[in-house]
Amino acid sequence: MKIGIIGSGHIGGTLTRRLRALGHDVTVANSRGPQSLTDLAQETGATAGDVAQAVQDAELVVLAVPLLAVPALPAQLFDGKLVVDADNYYPQRDGDIAELLDRSLSSSRWTADHLKGARVVKTFNNIQAAHLMGNGRPAGADDRIALPVAGDDADAKQVVMRLVDALGFDPVDAGTLDESWRQQPDTPVYGTDRDAEGVRQGLAEARP
């Protein structure tokens, strides 16, 4: 696939490396500009670009930026795009966002509200970058980690679940975007390398 990645930090950089290794055509962008991505591009064979270049022709876009940066993104660029939301809300970094502080809204719903027209799917937010890089396993392996995948668009969710599987993880359907709070920070599945049954159990045990 042609994939755009917005953000080159721990998760964005890791996904750039992993998805290029799988043979995908990756364009990566960040807030500092393409020149800051020269080393990552040379290492991986990815294309360094700006946000517009990463998004415009992409079949799938990964969002891996601080949540506070989402409102500044050019929303019209994302219209109709399949967007994988790998973000988390951290008040100490992102500031006070009232509806996220009281958990009346999932952070992915908040993101989708800003990117009207995008088909948003939540995943990659609950796994440590080092484990995303090195702990993928073949299908059927006893120690295969599972990742929750939440979204409202069934077709988009299936595309993302196949990508999760190709990266070496068991995708677990985690429901809608409104239910994706169950995989946010301070929930049983956050930062824990559970198998598929463990992820299902953790999602069910999560409390607002």
Side-chain angles (χ1 to χ4, degrees), residues 12-200:
T14 295
L15 285 171
T16 299
R17 294 176 174 92
R18 291 293 324 274
L19 293 170
R20 276 296 300 141
L22 290 177
H24 294 287
D25 180 357
V26 176
T27 299
V28 59
N30 64 13
S31 61
R32 299 184 304 280
Q35 69 283 353
S36 69
L37 297 165
T38 301
D39 290 346
L40 181 61
Q42 289 178 344
E43 174 196 339
T44 62
T47 300
D50 58 26
V51 170
Q53 290 166 330
V55 175
Q56 58 193 6
D57 295 323
E59 299 166 71
L60 181 150
V61 179
V62 177
L63 207 54
V65 297
L67 202 71
L68 58 83
V70 168
L73 292 170
Q76 70 281 0
L77 266 182
F78 294 84
D79 190 40
K81 295 292 184 181
L82 198 175
V83 175
V84 175
D85 175 19
D87 295 346
N88 286 304
Y89 174 50
Y90 300 114
Q92 66 274 23
R93 179 196 65 189
D94 300 313
D96 291 349
I97 301 172
E99 60 266 50
L100 298 183
L101 276 174
D102 68 12
R103 295 194 178 221
S104 61
L105 204 64
S106 71
S107 65
S108 285
R109 176 62 67 199
W110 184 86
T111 294
D113 286 346
H114 282 284
L115 303 180
K116 294 290 189 188
R119 298 180 296 149
V120 178
V121 178
K122 178 81 161 186
T123 196
F124 301 128
N125 73 296
N126 75 309
I127 186 171
Q128 296 178 38
H131 295 188
L132 181 60
M133 186 69 200
N135 291 9
R137 298 289 185 268
D142 290 340
D143 59 346
R144 205 180 203 216
I145 296 168
L147 299 181
V149 181
D152 298 338
D153 185 307
D155 291 338
K157 195 189 290 189
Q158 284 301 313
V159 171
V160 175
M161 291 177 86
R162 287 195 293 271
L163 191 64
V164 169
D165 180 57
L167 287 164
F169 303 93
D170 279 334
V172 171
D173 192 326
T176 66
L177 282 187
D178 288 329
E179 295 175 280
S180 65
W181 62 268
R182 295 178 181 275
Q183 65 197 74
Q184 291 179 174
D186 302 320
T187 62
V189 301
Y190 180 77
T192 56
D193 295 334
R194 297 182 174 217
D195 63 11
E197 186 53 42
V199 166
R200 293 186 189 98

